[in-house]
Amino acid sequence: MCPPSRHRAFAILCLLGCVALGTALEVGQYVGRVNEPVPNEAVDLQAAQEAALGQEQKNEAKNMESLLHWAIEHSDPKVLAEQAAQVKEDEAITDMLDKKRKRVKELVDIMNSQPSEAQLMRDALRQLTAPDSGLDDKVKALQALQILVEPIDNANDLKGMNGIQPVVAALGSEMRAAAAYVLGTAASNNAHFQQDLLQVSPDVFAKLVALTTDPQEEVVVKGLYALAALVRNLDGARAAFNDAGGIKAVESVMMRQPEPGAKDVVYGMYLVRAKRKALALMMDLVQMDTNLAQRCVEAGLAPAMLALLRERDHDLQEKALEGMRTLLERTPLAGPAFRDAGASEEVKQLHILLYQTVEMAARSGAHDSEDHHYIQYLMGLCDQVTKLLQGRKPHIDHTEL
């Protein structure tokens, strides 16, 4: 009989053998399954992913289509139409802006290819001074210069181009009106050019004053234009104007009467444009310089202004009455000078003529016309001047001014 210890050892070995055998069978079965081919029904992972993605896109497209139908069903057709029209309008505007940008670029290119204003000024001066240039070519050159010197910088460049001398020289020729126009334009509100002009040509005032006696009104007008531009900024220019006999010359224009059979008389009016320029110049001098105002009165300004009251131009009469009022209010010598010149009677006669005009308008039913009110305004100016001549302070109704 075997000992118990040997029986226990044998039992343990048998148990271990059974466990090993079971494990081997399971491993064999697993290995067999691994080595078996994949069935046709097995899932391809990549295909599954593509299928899922395709289905997702289909779902998204379906959702977008549903969203579009919902938006259409819940939208105002009128608003949609307006929005569509706005889109078309925006496209049209964009197209228009593109065309404009292209056109602007073309214009800029053209401008860049053109000569500068400085070069055009040199060309005009060359044409003005060329020995072989005819009168018409020279006049055209001066006309071009007049336009080119309107900018202050261009006018100030004229001296550096030696352009002042030939223009001043042209004042003594058939081109005198065009030359005076160039100088007046360049000197307008330009003290720098005025100084250059007086430095280069100290006798310019004498030459311009001489134009005021010219038989052609256009020459007189352009000469007065240049004189008015030159005296506005510099005390030295006003002194040179006075020394050249400018005050008497301008007053002579205001009193100038036509020669017998003169062709310049139109409806009884003569040199009206020139007389307006002359009066405006005198009033500028009166308001700019008190001492010069006294000289103007002493030189005979009162009779010259009264001569304008006898003109048949209401605008000229208005400017003369306003000038008389200003002088009577500001210049002590004006009152005696006007009274000695017979101003009271002249103003009275004008008032009578204006009153007769008003009466005729009333009879014709035109008493509410603009001309009717303007005549009444002139009558009011006559009353104000009359009171000032009498030493009384007039009441000015500013609603009529």
Side-chain angles (χ1 to χ4, degrees):
M1 188 172 187
C2 296
S5 57
R6 294 183 64 184
H7 285 288
R8 286 195 296 270
F10 179 77
I12 291 171
L13 287 173
C14 289
L15 181 59
L16 291 174
C18 291
V19 171
L21 180 60
T23 302
L25 290 173
E26 291 178 358
V27 170
Q29 292 175 354
Y30 174 76
V31 172
R33 287 196 302 268
V34 170
N35 293 328
E36 290 178 358
V38 178
N40 294 332
E41 295 82 1
V43 178
D44 187 337
L45 181 58
Q46 182 176 358
Q49 290 176 344
E50 293 178 354
L53 180 60
Q55 184 62 38
E56 181 179 353
Q57 291 176 343
K58 290 180 180 179
N59 292 337
E60 182 177 355
K62 186 175 181 181
N63 291 337
M64 292 297 294
E65 184 178 359
S66 299
L67 181 60
L68 176 61
H69 286 300
W70 180 90
I72 294 174
E73 292 173 357
H74 292 80
S75 298
D76 185 347
K78 183 178 179 181
V79 174
L80 291 176
E82 292 176 353
Q83 292 175 344
Q86 184 63 45
V87 170
K88 291 183 179 179
E89 182 179 350
D90 292 343
E91 291 175 350
I93 292 174
T94 301
D95 184 58
M96 179 187 66
L97 290 175
D98 290 340
K99 291 180 180 179
K100 285 191 173 183
R101 291 190 188 97
K102 183 179 179 181
R103 179 57 179 161
V104 168
K105 184 179 183 303
E106 292 174 352
L107 292 175
V108 170
D109 292 340
I110 292 174
M111 291 177 62
N112 290 335
S113 65
Q114 299 298 314
S116 65
E117 291 186 347
Q119 184 58 50
L120 292 174
M121 290 174 64
R122 292 189 182 92
D123 292 343
L125 290 169
R126 190 178 302 112
Q127 182 172 320
L128 176 63
T129 57
D132 58 344
S133 291
L135 178 61
D136 289 343
D137 290 336
K138 291 183 178 181
V139 171
K140 290 178 181 178
L142 288 169
Q143 291 171 343
L145 270 179
Q146 186 272 322
I147 296 173
L148 290 167
V149 298
E150 287 180 354
I152 290 178
D153 290 340
N154 288 354
N156 293 339
D157 289 339
L158 201 57
K159 179 184 176 182
M161 298 178 182
N162 295 320
I164 294 180
Q165 299 93 326
V167 175
V168 173
L171 292 174
S173 69
E174 296 179 74
M175 304 172 288
R176 54 193 179 279
Y181 200 14
V182 172
L183 296 177
T185 301
S188 181
N189 298 314
N190 189 350
H192 186 279
F193 177 80
Q194 294 168 15
Q195 291 173 339
D196 287 346
L197 179 58
L198 290 174
Q199 180 183 358
V200 173
S201 180
D203 62 341
V204 65
F205 273 107
K207 294 183 177 182
L208 289 172
V209 166
L211 298 183
T212 62
T213 62
D214 198 277
Q216 299 181 31
E217 182 177 21
E218 188 63 24
V219 175
V220 179
V221 169
K222 292 300 190 288
L224 290 170
Y225 170 74
L227 287 170
L230 282 168
V231 301
R232 282 200 178 104
N233 298 98
L234 302 177
D235 293 337
R238 288 191 286 274
F241 168 78
N242 184 50
D243 293 341
I247 294 175
K248 291 294 294 184
V250 175
E251 290 174 351
S252 296
V253 173
M254 295 165 64
M255 301 182 69
R256 192 163 159 184
Q257 296 299 313
E259 297 292 333
K263 297 180 180 180
D264 294 339
V265 181
V266 181
Y267 298 111
M269 296 182 290
Y270 176 68
L271 295 181
V272 172
R273 289 176 57 219
K275 291 177 181 180
R276 285 198 193 102
K277 288 283 186 183
L279 178 59
L281 172 54
M282 295 304 294
M283 295 314 300
D284 281 347
L285 294 172
V286 166
Q287 295 176 2
M288 285 187 295
D289 192 321
T290 303
N291 294 329
L292 206 54
Q294 296 281 11
R295 293 178 187 175
C296 291
V297 173
E298 293 170 353
L301 180 57
M305 297 187 75
L306 294 179
L308 299 180
L309 296 183
R310 295 189 289 272
E311 296 287 344
R312 297 184 182 182
D313 184 83
H314 289 322
D315 179 69
L316 200 52
Q317 292 168 346
E318 176 191 357
K319 299 298 187 295
L321 288 169
E322 290 176 342
M324 291 175 65
R325 184 179 63 188
T326 299
L327 282 168
L328 290 167
E329 289 175 339
R330 299 187 179 185
T331 310
L333 293 178
F338 276 113
R339 285 191 289 270
D340 292 343
S344 299
E345 184 62 25
E346 292 282 358
V347 174
K348 178 182 177 181
Q349 291 300 318
L350 176 59
H351 191 281
I352 292 173
L353 290 174
L354 293 172
Y355 178 78
Q356 292 173 349
T357 303
V358 169
E359 288 294 305
M360 291 176 60
R363 286 195 295 269
S364 64
H367 55 278
D368 288 330
S369 67
E370 184 176 344
D371 288 342
H372 175 79
H373 292 300
Y374 180 57
I375 297 300
Q376 287 185 320
Y377 167 65
L378 293 180
M379 292 172 62
L381 282 177
C382 288
D383 293 336
Q384 295 170 23
V385 171
T386 298
K387 290 181 180 179
L388 287 169
L389 288 169
Q390 296 171 350
R392 296 185 293 157
K393 186 176 182 181
H395 169 70
I396 300 177
D397 185 358
H398 294 282
T399 62
E400 295 183 357
L401 300 180

